[in-house]
Each structure stands twice: as structure tokens, then as C-alpha cells.
Amino acid sequence: ARYNAGLAALAAKDGERARRHFEALARQGFPPAQRQMAHFLAEGKAGLVLDSNAAAKWAAVAGRHGDAVGLLPALGARPPQA
């Protein structure tokens, strides 16, 4: 439910609210939220300052939890755009 709330906040262009949802889930070990945190930090979005090191750390954590897409920012790559 909280992940969907984060997605809804993104759709509503409320990045800071989305970040709060995703960050809480990321800290609880939810890989898609960890990937999203990596993206926010890699792009300097959702009220966060661009931080490549922190982005790489979140991406690596997501990857260790089974999210292969989460590894892409750590490798300097971007996931394919839909």
C-alpha cells in the first residue's frame, strides 16, 4: 500500500511526498523502493541533492536484495525507458 502511495505521489508530481514513502520502505528492505531511492539520488530529485555515492549504495542494496535493475545506477547505466 505504501509503495502505491509513493507511485501516486510521483504521478501527482509530489516528489518529496513520494520520497518519504519510498525512503521508509527502502529502510525496511523493499528492493523497488531502494531502487527508487537510488534514482532520486542519482538524479537529484524529490527534494534530494544529487549524490552519486549514496545512489550507488542504495542501488547496490537493491541489487543484493534481488533487484537487478537496482544495480544499473551503480554501474553508471540507466534502466530502459518505457
Side-chain angles (χ1 to χ4, degrees):
R2 190 154 198 182
Y3 187 74
N4 288 337
L7 293 176
L10 278 180
K13 308 277 190 231
D14 188 347
E16 290 190 30
R17 184 167 54 100
R19 179 193 46 79
R20 287 192 302 272
H21 287 291
F22 291 130
E23 186 171 17
L25 288 168
R27 291 187 186 285
Q28 293 172 11
F30 188 60
Q34 293 165 339
R35 174 184 358 118
Q36 191 62 53
M37 288 302 298
H39 172 73
F40 288 156
L41 288 157
E43 300 288 327
K45 293 185 176 180
L48 297 172
V49 175
L50 186 137
D51 185 338
S52 298
N53 290 329
K57 288 177 185 176
W58 273 120
V61 168
R64 283 194 304 273
H65 288 132
D67 187 336
V69 175
L71 288 175
L72 293 175
L75 300 173
R78 292 173 166 249
Q81 298 297 313

